[in-house]
Amino acid sequence: AQSVAQPEDQVNVAEGNPLTVKCTYSVSGNPYLFWYVQYPNRGLQFLLKYITGDNLVKGSYGFEAEFNKSQTSFHLKKPSALVSDSALYFCAVRAGVRGSYIPTFGRGTSLIVHP
Amino acid sequence: GAVVSQHPSWVICKSGTSVKIECRSLDFQATTMFWYRQFPKQSLMLMATSNEGSKATYEQGVEKDKFLINHASLTLSTLTVTSAHPEDSSFYICSASGRYNSPLHFGNGTRLTVT
């Protein structure tokens, strides 16, 4: 069975500082990895994905993530945080066989950026 | 980017009544749609997976007779909460997907309150 772990319920960072939101995964087969952001009372918005190719992927709003196969990680990063980045972030993986690519989500990490 | 429209955004109903939530992919054909339930400050709980023209696959513990899912076309899926009870009050989110390695595109969610 596939799984996604986001070890931190909450990450606090000062505006202008770099941020990292951690994600590790466990799958059979090649993983397709995604990050989403959720603002209060809204659905999730897609930020970025890793399918194949370069391990460093860039996404929306200045976010990037690095795929590390040996550590089975896909941490989300941003060089300089903004207060408006404060939201709930979800890591997700799709993997499987015979078309059973049901996505699995982590439990979410609340990012709080302080002015 | 791909747009998924979910209606209504909020609904209040009395115990015993039924509520229908619509999820439409506006600019792409959704091979698969997923329905999620989200409790406050918690992750997404997958309720069911539906493919166009076939019966939905429900996750363990989800009552298929209570949460009726119909995926009549490649652009429309509906979730009907039948005989709603206060414990069904929650935030319901739909998402649509094209290819298996594609990101999910989410609706903005429906806040259901059963009185």
Side-chain angles (χ1 to χ4, degrees):
Chain A
Q2 62 193 39
S3 64
V4 175
Q6 292 180 243
E8 303 152 317
D9 285 339
Q10 186 172 300
V11 169
N12 291 277
V13 64
E15 187 175 30
N17 283 0
L19 69 88
T20 298
V21 183
K22 296 179 180 177
C23 171
T24 59
Y25 65 91
S26 174
V27 298
S28 297
N30 292 324
Y32 302 115
L33 295 156
F34 306 87
W35 274 102
Y36 297 88
V37 59
Q38 184 182 30
Y39 296 99
N41 296 311
R42 303 294 295 272
L44 281 67
Q45 296 178 30
F46 167 68
L47 277 180
L48 51 78
K49 65 180 180 181
Y50 172 81
I51 303 300
T52 187
D54 286 343
N55 289 340
L56 183 65
V57 293
K58 295 185 183 296
S60 306
Y61 312 120
F63 284 94
E64 58 188 30
E66 185 166 13
F67 171 64
N68 188 316
K69 188 174 182 179
S70 62
Q71 296 185 5
T72 62
S73 67
F74 189 57
H75 301 331
L76 180 71
K77 299 181 179 184
K78 187 173 182 180
S80 179
L82 299 172
V83 173
S84 58
D85 293 330
S86 299
L88 191 57
Y89 290 81
F90 290 96
C91 180
V93 65
R94 298 187 83 174
V97 296
R98 295 181 181 273
S100 63
Y101 289 84
I102 297 174
T104 297
F105 285 83
R107 64 180 182 178
T109 298
S110 178
L111 172 66
I112 300 175
V113 181
H114 302 278
Chain B
V3 177
V4 174
S5 175
Q6 183 174 345
H7 292 282
S9 56
W10 61 271
V11 59
I12 301 173
C13 70
K14 294 184 177 181
S15 286
T17 60
S18 295
V19 174
K20 180 184 283 188
I21 301 170
E22 285 191 353
C23 181
R24 294 181 183 272
S25 58
L26 298 184
D27 53 359
F28 72 105
Q29 293 184 330
T31 307
T32 306
M33 286 190 174
F34 302 94
W35 286 94
Y36 295 89
R37 184 172 178 176
Q38 187 177 31
F39 295 97
K41 298 184 178 181
Q42 294 191 20
S43 187
L44 305 171
M45 184 191 82
L46 179 64
M47 299 175 67
T49 302
S50 72
N51 294 293
E52 183 263 340
S54 62
K55 290 183 178 180
T57 301
Y58 290 82
E59 294 299 301
Q60 193 172 9
V62 177
E63 299 176 59
K64 62 180 180 181
D65 294 329
K66 179 169 187 59
F67 298 100
L68 300 179
I69 291 173
N70 182 277
H71 194 160
S73 74
L74 285 171
T75 58
L76 174 64
S77 178
T78 60
L79 166 67
T80 302
V81 183
T82 62
S83 187
H85 291 283
E87 56 265 32
D88 299 325
S89 298
S90 191
F91 193 56
Y92 293 88
I93 310 175
C94 72
S95 67
S97 174
R99 289 172 55 85
Y100 59 87
N101 60 358
S102 299
L104 301 189
H105 301 285
F106 287 83
N108 276 331
T110 298
R111 173 73 60 192
L112 171 64
T113 302
V114 185
T115 60

